[in-house]
């Protein structure tokens, strides 16, 4: 998780760490733009060429270019019947492609990720291991996000036997493209690379649960970590989801009674604020 925070990728921060069978760290990686000579750019590099420095994501630009090319070819081939200007249609489609929850924005074409300049966290870790001569055979890779299909083939080829991920990644076609992958928390069949969801204390909560404050008294004697009755080290600031659901149901019933008594025919946001 902390490795991911080094990334300044314009899309998301992803981190990866590869461990040996005995639990030793072999290599780390995050998603960032690679530089000549190996590795990725850092803030103090004189020729810093990360996406945020250039101010754009080339993958987004190329996806829109592909979309515009497709629309123009459909028009030229008379697959799209139109009376207006072809350029106007292209401009309209491009605008729809960046509109949140728009029908074009949700198209599979807009999920392409092959044209980004950023090397993904998993590939960065694998590349660094190769550069330093560290074998990844039978290693375990931990990553904050399910690997994309591009990373998956590198993971398989590197000899990594297991991947543990935290977040899903709907854009990945890894399972569909590679029969060598088995997504399961159980022991996979022979000759398969296991992709297992993380089960345990999340990295965000790990520090909250296990970080200690004062460990000795004023005289230097050891102090118990938690005195008195055992209790969680996490303070709850909101009600549980069951309490929230109960409160919502009561609010909904109260609003319905008001509408029924008042003869109202519709429900708008003003009722929810009452």
């Amino acid at each position: 998780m902390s490795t991911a925070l080094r990334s300044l990728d314009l899309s998301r921060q992803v981190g990866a760490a590869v461990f040996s069978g005995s639990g030793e760290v072999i290599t780390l990686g995050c998603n960032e733009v690679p530089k000549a000579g190996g590795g990725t750019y850092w803030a103090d590099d004189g020729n810093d060429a990360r996406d945020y420095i250039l101010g754009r994501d080339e993958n987004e630009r190329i996806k829109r270019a592909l979309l515009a090319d497709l629309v123009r070819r459909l028009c030229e081939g008379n697959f799209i019947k139109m009376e207006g200007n072809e350029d106007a249609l292209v401009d309209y489609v491009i605008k729809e492609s960046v509109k949140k929850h728009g029908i074009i924005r949700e198209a599979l074409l807009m999920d392409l990720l092959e044209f980004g300049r950023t090397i993904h966290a998993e590939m960065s870790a694998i590349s660094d291991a190769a550069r330093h001569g560290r074998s990844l055979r039978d290693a375990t890779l931990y990553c904050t996000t399910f690997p994309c299909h591009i990373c998956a083939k590198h993971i398989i080829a590197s000899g990594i036997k297991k991947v543990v991920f935290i977040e899903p990644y709907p854009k990945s076609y890894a399972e569909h493209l590679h029969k060598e992958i088995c997504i399961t928390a159980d022991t996979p069949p022979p000759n398969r690379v296991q992709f297992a969801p993380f089960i345990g204390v999340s990295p965000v909560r790990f520090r909250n649960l296990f970080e200690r404050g004062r460990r000795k008294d004023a005289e230097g004697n050891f102090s118990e970590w938690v005195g008195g009755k055992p209790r969680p080290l996490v303070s709850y600031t909101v009600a549980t989801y069951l309490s929230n659901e109960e409160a919502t149901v009561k609010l909904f019933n109260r609003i319905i009674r008001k509408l029924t008594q008042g003869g109202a025919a519709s429900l708008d946001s003003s009722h929810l604020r009452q």
Side-chain angles (χ1 to χ4, degrees):
M1 191 73 176
S2 59
T3 304
L5 300 180
R6 191 179 84 77
S7 169
L8 285 178
D9 185 76
L10 301 181
S11 297
R12 65 170 67 196
Q13 292 174 303
V14 180
V18 184
F19 288 77
S20 67
S22 59
E24 298 175 329
V25 178
I26 300 176
T27 182
L28 304 172
C30 71
N31 56 327
E32 194 50 88
V33 176
K35 65 179 180 180
T40 57
Y41 285 103
W42 286 77
D44 55 356
D45 288 336
N47 58 339
D48 191 347
R50 288 175 289 181
D51 284 351
Y52 95 97
I53 293 292
L54 302 182
R56 63 182 181 277
D57 181 350
E58 284 298 310
N59 191 60
E60 294 296 326
R61 182 188 67 79
I62 294 176
K63 284 192 300 184
R64 292 195 295 272
L66 292 174
L67 181 60
D69 177 71
L70 176 61
V71 173
R72 291 186 186 280
R73 291 179 183 275
L74 289 174
C75 291
E76 292 171 4
N78 293 320
F79 294 101
I80 297 178
K81 303 297 182 180
M82 57 175 296
E83 299 178 358
N85 189 330
E86 177 183 304
D87 291 335
L89 175 60
V90 172
D91 290 341
Y92 172 76
V93 172
I94 294 300
K95 289 179 180 178
E96 286 294 311
S97 71
V98 299
K99 183 183 294 184
K100 189 175 182 180
H101 303 308
I103 188 170
I104 301 297
R105 180 69 178 176
E106 301 296 329
L108 293 178
L109 174 64
M110 304 312 295
D111 283 345
L112 290 177
L113 45 84
E114 283 77 1
F115 307 106
R117 299 173 61 246
T118 297
I119 183 173
H120 292 186
E122 301 92 322
M123 288 190 285
S124 177
I126 292 171
S127 298
D128 280 0
R131 185 157 49 93
H132 294 291
R134 299 170 183 168
S135 174
L136 301 183
R137 181 181 297 276
D138 295 332
T140 298
L141 184 149
Y142 295 87
C143 50
T144 56
T145 307
F146 186 91
C148 73
H149 43 275
I150 302 175
C151 290
K153 54 189 175 185
H154 291 80
I155 291 170
I156 295 170
S158 71
I160 291 172
K161 70 174 183 179
K162 182 178 181 179
V163 174
V164 179
F165 63 92
I166 298 176
E167 301 175 5
Y169 189 54
K171 292 183 181 180
S172 179
Y173 288 88
E175 186 180 17
H176 301 282
L177 295 176
H178 301 286
K179 60 179 176 53
E180 296 83 2
I181 290 175
C182 183
I183 303 178
T184 177
D186 302 320
T187 302
N191 301 320
R192 303 286 289 276
V193 180
Q194 180 184 13
F195 279 49
F198 173 77
I199 300 174
V201 180
S202 73
V204 176
R205 287 297 188 188
F206 197 87
R207 182 172 180 176
N208 293 338
L209 290 172
F210 295 103
E211 183 181 35
R212 288 199 54 177
R214 186 179 297 276
R215 286 167 288 189
K216 59 183 179 181
D217 60 22
E219 298 177 357
N221 299 314
F222 171 73
S223 297
E224 290 290 341
W225 188 359
V226 178
K229 185 178 179 181
R231 63 184 186 280
L233 298 180
V234 178
S235 59
Y236 293 93
T237 57
V238 296
T240 64
Y241 74 94
L242 290 175
S243 300
N244 288 335
E245 286 182 357
E246 183 179 356
T248 301
V249 169
K250 291 180 179 179
L251 174 62
F252 180 78
N253 290 335
R254 187 166 65 251
I255 292 172
I256 292 298
R257 284 196 299 271
K258 281 187 178 181
L259 293 176
T260 303
Q261 295 170 0
S266 63
L267 179 66
D268 58 32
S269 59
S270 63
H271 293 108
L272 296 176
R273 290 193 295 268
Q274 294 178 0

